[in-house]
Amino acid sequence: MEADDSIKSAAGNPSFTPVLATVMQSRWMIALLGAVALFQVVLTALELPAWQCPLKATLGIACPGCELTRAMVLLAEGKWLAAVQLHAFAPVGLAIGLLLLTRLLLPANWKHRVAERVAVFENRSGIILWLTLGLLIYWICRLVIHN
């Protein structure tokens, strides 16, 4: 049974496809995502030019993730209120990042167990769908308020 098969069987008959649990199965994917995110956050923290939002650069419209990197920097500095005021989903991004990071640090015999439990949670709660919808609603509200 492959890793993806064990995730699907742990989730049962999924009405929501596990996303985080699937990513958790690949150490290189977590390492790559983490390295890119860390690089972006460090550049932003040092006030150096970082990767710019392509949507904002081309259309002049902030994307749902705009200001999230700066909010993550504020979280790292311990300025939680300022981070949430800048982007309400900063703590969610931090929580997901920490969840993925734990996968890199866990012993090999725990990796599948944790990923399977995450898959069951994702399947039962539909958390990815709710977070995506919440982010889209938050984005639309920010567009309306700031324009």
Side-chain angles (χ1 to χ4, degrees):
M1 183 182 289
E2 290 184 23
D4 285 339
D5 292 338
S6 67
I7 294 299
K8 289 175 187 171
S9 67
N13 184 9
S15 44
F16 300 105
T17 303
V19 176
L20 290 175
T22 304
V23 172
M24 290 178 76
Q25 291 298 315
S26 174
R27 280 190 170 203
W28 71 266
M29 179 67 80
I30 296 170
L32 178 64
L33 289 172
V36 170
L38 182 63
F39 185 68
Q40 177 76 5
V41 169
V42 168
L43 287 177
T44 301
L46 296 173
E47 298 181 13
L48 295 171
W51 184 58
Q52 301 300 310
C53 173
L55 189 61
K56 192 168 190 172
T58 56
L59 301 177
I61 301 170
C63 77
C66 276
E67 305 297 334
L68 190 56
T69 304
R70 285 189 218 158
M72 296 299 282
V73 170
L74 290 171
L75 283 177
E77 293 173 351
K79 300 174 183 173
W80 287 75
L81 182 59
V84 172
Q85 288 172 340
L86 190 57
H87 199 293
F89 279 74
V92 174
L94 179 64
I96 290 171
L98 291 174
L99 177 67
L100 293 176
L101 180 64
T102 58
R103 165 54 180 90
L104 288 177
L105 303 175
L106 285 173
N109 60 340
W110 281 52
K111 86 175 185 180
H112 292 299
R113 228 181 296 165
V114 171
E116 287 173 359
R117 288 188 181 168
V118 170
V120 169
F121 175 72
E122 285 184 84
N123 178 257
R124 289 183 180 164
S125 68
I127 190 76
I128 299 300
L129 173 66
W130 294 114
L131 286 174
T132 303
L133 288 174
L135 183 62
L136 289 174
I137 291 168
Y138 176 70
W139 176 51
I140 291 167
C141 291
R142 285 178 65 179
L143 289 175
V144 170
I145 292 170
H146 290 295
N147 289 330

